[in-house]
Amino acid sequence: MRVFVITGAGVSAESGIPTFRGKGGYWRNLDPAKLATPEAFARDPKLVWEWYCERRQRIRNAQPNAAHEAITKLANHAAEFLLVTQNVDDLHARAGLRAEKIVQIHGDIFGTRCSRCGFKEHNEECEEIPRCPKCDALMRPGVVWFGEQLPWNELQRIENYLDRGACDLVIVAGTTATFGYIIDWALRARAPNGELIEVNPEATPLSEFATQRIRESAAVALPKIVDQVITS
Ligand code: OAD
């Protein structure tokens, strides 16, 4: 069985990580969509870092939930499996999903990157704004911001997986599917007679293409879906 899963912020919501849009999305009355931009960082790097440091802290204190665990179980059952997550947290990895099965298409919140020369390092410190050890410019969080390109290597991993064959099962969980590439990957991945299951309490632009729409939370729905897949 060939499986492709896409997750978004809704999958980590039940671990206590706020989503970007909808209820609880705002931080200090600021819209995350306006903080997660190169312009916001250029204007006020301290404010942007404060937001990311708070999210890092929250993620460190959070635990994977039943949705993350169900996805790992599905990966262990499937002959071939790839997860593309828009989440920059590490909860899929901490639920036991191996790195080679995860594409973090929007980056990793625990990474940092130089805003000038691109030097990268893993740095969880949040005492003050880190500076680049190579060129002394400000380091920025290692995530993809609005208007920025997706990481080429990670895109290649997705393309390679999609090129190798169609999927019997595609699950898209906890995302507003705002970005066209999310819908595009889900549709391309599904085999003509395969399932495309959307897990989201609310309708999204992907809903009309889904073969099943499960209007429940991810931690409730995914364990049931995975158990059904494994026993069928
Ligand atoms: P959003 O915050 O846009 O959407 C969260 C989605 O999860 C919504 O569709 C909710 O209905 C759904 N949801 C909420 N709670 C849920 C639960 N318990 N179970 C299942 N679904 C639930 O998050 P994303 O779609 O992931 O990108 O956002 C995509 C990207 O936009 C983010 O990666 C980030 C953001 O800007 C960048 O920073 C580049």
Side-chain angles (χ1 to χ4, degrees):
M1 187 170 179
R2 209 153 194 279
V3 178
F4 186 61
V5 177
I6 301 178
T7 60
V11 163
S12 294
E14 285 156 285
S15 293
I17 314 295
T19 58
F20 285 85
R21 300 173 184 83
K23 266 190 282 157
Y26 272 59
W27 175 77
R28 296 189 194 164
N29 292 328
L30 298 168
D31 178 355
K34 300 215 172 98
L35 284 169
T37 65
E39 294 76 24
F41 187 74
R43 200 169 44 241
D44 194 344
K46 187 163 172 285
L47 180 73
V48 172
W49 263 114
E50 275 171 14
W51 179 55
Y52 279 101
C53 285
E54 243 183 72
R55 278 185 84 90
R56 280 180 171 184
Q57 194 57 41
R58 226 178 231 273
I59 292 163
R60 265 191 223 105
N61 294 336
Q63 296 304 324
N65 65 51
H68 300 104
E69 279 156 16
I71 290 168
T72 304
K73 193 168 166 185
L74 181 59
N76 293 338
H77 171 82
E80 291 182 71
F81 180 94
L82 188 70
L83 167 74
V84 174
T85 184
Q86 297 163 86
N87 299 343
V88 296
D89 65 47
D90 57 359
L91 295 177
H92 282 294
R94 279 162 54 201
L97 189 58
R98 295 209 312 274
E100 69 266 23
K101 297 196 185 267
I102 308 176
V103 173
Q104 275 190 295
I105 198 63
H106 290 164
D108 166 11
I109 197 170
F110 295 112
T112 52
R113 185 164 89 236
C114 177
S115 57
R116 186 192 295 150
C117 75
F119 173 78
K120 285 185 188 162
E121 65 181 1
H122 184 94
N123 180 357
E124 297 200 10
E125 286 307 313
C126 256
E127 294 299 301
E128 52 194 59
I129 305 181
R131 288 209 167 256
C132 178
K134 301 263 182 228
C135 76
D136 203 42
L138 295 182
M139 296 291 277
R140 51 163 280 181
V143 300
V144 176
W145 281 334
F146 284 98
E148 292 186 325
Q149 301 228 322
L150 298 174
W152 193 84
N153 286 351
E154 302 304 289
L155 278 175
Q156 277 318 108
R157 290 179 60 208
I158 299 170
E159 290 301 324
N160 289 344
Y161 189 73
L162 297 183
D163 284 352
R164 279 206 306 273
C167 297
D168 313 289
L169 175 61
V170 179
I171 299 177
V172 181
T175 176
T176 43
T178 318
F179 300 115
Y181 47 82
I182 297 299
I183 298 178
D184 180 48
W185 290 328
L187 299 187
R188 276 173 57 205
R190 185 187 149 228
N193 57 352
E195 291 283 351
L196 168 49
I197 304 179
E198 178 179 60
V199 177
N200 196 316
E202 294 182 19
T204 76
L206 182 81
S207 303
E208 63 176 296
F209 304 107
T211 56
Q212 289 183 51
R213 291 166 278 275
I214 315 286
R215 299 274 170 252
E216 291 177 333
S217 85
V220 169
L222 280 166
K224 290 191 282 190
I225 295 169
V226 170
D227 283 345
Q228 263 171 28
V229 168
I230 289 175
T231 51
S232 69

